[in-house]
């Protein structure tokens, strides 16, 4: 694959030991003492190159857990443990909800993490003394349960512990494995109503490709999502996705290329511009094509309904399995 690039001099690199080669990630620390995490695996066809995600600043040391995907770091006088670092590539909104922070002022200047095994983090102070700090045992138990695809047991564990951090970890793990029913329960437990409604909307999509595209969109990979939809010949869903993302030029481009739903795109664009109180530029492609296209909302609604029915009746279409 292509080499991972960074704009500043790198002082340390560490690769995790958990999971398959697709789940490999590395943390990078640069001369500014900033800490980044980046996936090692190459993106799927149609996706962009992975961009390092900044976990924090003023980092003294970082280390991966030997048994799971957990990551520990000493930053700005605090010991931080990310229970599921993959969250940054699935749902960044939950990064802070899936990590633990402890005061580490007693570690002094420039402490170094030397070992992170099980639930114990060992730190070496500048005077050579070794100190040990404990982390919660429940995330490790959750890793073991999820690895065996025992999702009902994972839900039972979270209900027993009653910790929102563990629920957030389960929600992201479920999204990573496309276990939407488990994600639905977990998001409800942490009061993430918007995300819960989105999960329910994805479950209602009749095709596997449509659900996978929405999950790629959740991961902030719109190009990959579009590639999935076009590969499955779900042209209207690809056009609709671009309109929802306000990528109007791309939506019109797809509609013209496939000679379908041009009136839908032009009508939605006109409604959007009117709602924003704006006018199209004279050189706009939307004005150019609008002259020869009739915008009839009754016809547009019937075409959309026909597309939804057509997708539901596709040979490979099947409802989400619980």
């Amino acid at each position: 694959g292509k080499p991972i690039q960074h704009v500043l001099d790198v002082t340390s690199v560490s690769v995790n030991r958990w999971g398959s080669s697709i789940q490999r990630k590395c943390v990078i620390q640069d001369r500014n003492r900033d800490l980044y995490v980046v996936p090692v695996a190459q993106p799927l066809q149609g996706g962009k190159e992975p961009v390092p995600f900044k976990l924090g600043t003023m980092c003294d040391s970082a280390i991966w857990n030997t048994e799971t995907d957990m990551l520990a770091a000493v930053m700005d006088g605090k010991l931080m443990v990310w229970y599921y670092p993959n969250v940054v590539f699935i749902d960044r909104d939950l990064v802070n909800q899936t990590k633990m922070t402890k005061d580490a002022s007693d570690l002094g200047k420039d402490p170094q993490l030397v070992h992170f095994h099980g639930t114990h983090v060992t730190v070496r102070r500048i005077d050579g003394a070794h100190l040990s700090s404990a982390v919660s045992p429940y995330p490790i138990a959750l890793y073991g349960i999820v690895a065996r695809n025992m999702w009902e047991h994972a839900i039972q564990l979270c209900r027993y512990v009653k910790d929102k951090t563990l629920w957030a970890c389960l929600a992201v793990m479920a999204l990573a494995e496309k276990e939407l029913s488990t994600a639905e329960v977990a998001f409800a437990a942490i009061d993430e109503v918007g995300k819960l409604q989105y999960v329910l909307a994805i479950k209602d999509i009749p095709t596997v490709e449509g659900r996978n595209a929405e999950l790629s969109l959740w991961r902030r990979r719109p190009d990959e999502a579009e590639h999935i939809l076009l590969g499955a010949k779900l042209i209207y869903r690809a056009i609709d996705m671009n309109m929802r993302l306000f990528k109007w030029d791309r939506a019109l481009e797809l509609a013209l290329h496939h000679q379908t739903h041009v009136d839908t795109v032009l009508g939605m664009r006109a409604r959007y511009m009117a709602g924003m109180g704006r006018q199209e530029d004279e050189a706009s492609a939307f004005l150019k094509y609008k002259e020869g296209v009739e915008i009839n909302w009754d016809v547009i609604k019937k075409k959309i309904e026909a597309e939804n029915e057509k997708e539901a009746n596709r040979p490979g279409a099947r409802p989400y399995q619980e």
Side-chain angles (χ1 to χ4, degrees):
K2 297 181 181 179
I4 297 171
Q5 298 183 348
H6 193 62
V7 293
L8 294 175
D9 294 337
V10 175
T11 57
S12 70
V13 176
S14 178
V15 181
N16 68 337
R17 311 174 194 179
W18 177 86
S20 64
S21 59
I22 298 176
Q23 296 167 314
R24 287 285 183 269
K25 294 176 286 295
C26 73
V27 288
I28 301 170
Q29 190 175 349
D30 60 27
R31 68 184 182 191
N32 283 353
R33 296 171 64 198
D34 294 335
L35 187 69
Y36 294 84
V37 62
V38 60
V40 175
Q42 293 298 304
L44 296 176
Q45 187 176 4
K48 292 184 177 180
E49 289 296 316
V51 178
F53 180 83
K54 188 174 182 178
L55 289 172
T57 60
M58 303 295 290
C59 178
D60 295 305
S61 177
I63 191 171
W64 291 100
N65 188 274
T66 57
E67 297 179 350
T68 65
D69 202 29
M70 293 192 295
L71 173 69
V74 179
M75 287 184 176
D76 196 21
K78 296 181 178 65
L79 173 65
M80 297 185 180
V81 177
W82 288 268
Y83 291 133
Y84 191 65
N86 206 35
V87 65
V88 303
F89 308 116
I90 297 175
D91 191 341
R92 296 178 185 177
D93 298 339
L94 299 176
V95 171
N96 290 329
Q97 294 189 47
T98 56
K99 76 176 181 181
M100 178 208 74
T101 303
K102 274 186 178 181
D103 181 65
S105 56
D106 59 326
L107 298 180
K109 184 180 179 182
D110 195 27
Q112 296 297 307
L113 296 172
V114 295
H115 199 55
F116 186 12
H117 180 73
T119 60
H120 291 279
V121 184
T122 305
V123 188
R124 185 179 64 242
R125 297 198 314 190
I126 197 169
D127 60 1
H130 283 69
L131 299 178
S132 181
S133 182
V135 300
S136 172
Y138 295 116
I140 293 180
L142 186 63
Y143 270 100
I145 294 171
V146 169
R148 297 192 295 273
N149 289 320
M150 299 168 64
W151 296 101
E152 283 298 326
H153 287 75
I155 292 173
Q156 291 173 12
L157 173 66
C158 291
R159 283 176 175 160
Y160 172 75
V161 177
K162 298 178 182 177
D163 178 28
K164 286 198 172 185
T165 300
L166 199 65
W167 275 115
C169 291
L170 178 60
V172 184
M173 288 178 178
L175 283 180
E177 299 297 327
K178 302 175 183 177
E179 285 288 335
L180 299 181
S181 295
T182 305
E184 176 187 342
V185 175
F187 281 126
I190 58 176
D191 300 324
E192 288 285 353
V193 179
K195 298 181 190 300
L196 171 60
Q197 291 178 332
Y198 193 33
V199 169
L200 294 173
I202 294 174
K203 289 177 70 175
D204 287 338
I205 297 174
T207 55
V208 176
E209 297 88 354
R211 292 193 290 269
N212 289 341
E214 290 297 326
L215 288 172
S216 292
L217 202 57
W218 196 323
R219 297 184 182 204
R220 307 189 185 201
R221 299 176 184 171
D223 294 335
E224 181 181 300
E226 182 183 293
H227 181 81
I228 292 172
L229 294 174
L230 294 179
K233 299 293 189 292
L234 293 170
I235 307 303
Y236 171 69
R237 189 169 282 281
I239 293 172
D240 179 64
M241 183 194 74
N242 279 288
M243 289 193 293
R244 285 189 285 131
L245 296 175
F246 304 105
K247 297 171 68 174
W248 297 103
D249 291 332
R250 179 58 179 164
L252 182 61
E253 180 185 341
L254 287 174
L256 291 171
H257 178 75
H258 295 280
Q259 296 182 347
T260 182
H261 285 282
V262 176
D263 55 343
T264 304
V265 176
L266 294 175
M268 293 292 188
R269 170 70 175 188
R271 179 180 286 180
Y272 165 75
M273 294 297 283
M276 296 293 291
R278 297 169 57 189
Q279 298 290 330
E280 295 283 4
D281 296 332
E282 293 183 4
S284 171
F286 295 95
L287 281 181
K288 173 184 174 183
Y289 289 103
K290 192 175 181 180
E291 294 176 357
V293 177
E294 180 185 358
I295 308 299
N296 186 322
W297 284 106
D298 291 332
V299 174
I300 290 173
K301 289 177 181 177
K302 289 179 181 178
K303 287 172 66 176
I304 294 174
E305 290 173 0
E307 288 286 355
N308 293 334
E309 186 176 346
K310 178 182 174 183
E311 182 181 354
N313 294 326
R314 280 166 61 101
R318 61 181 185 272
Y320 177 76
Q321 300 296 324
E322 295 290 341

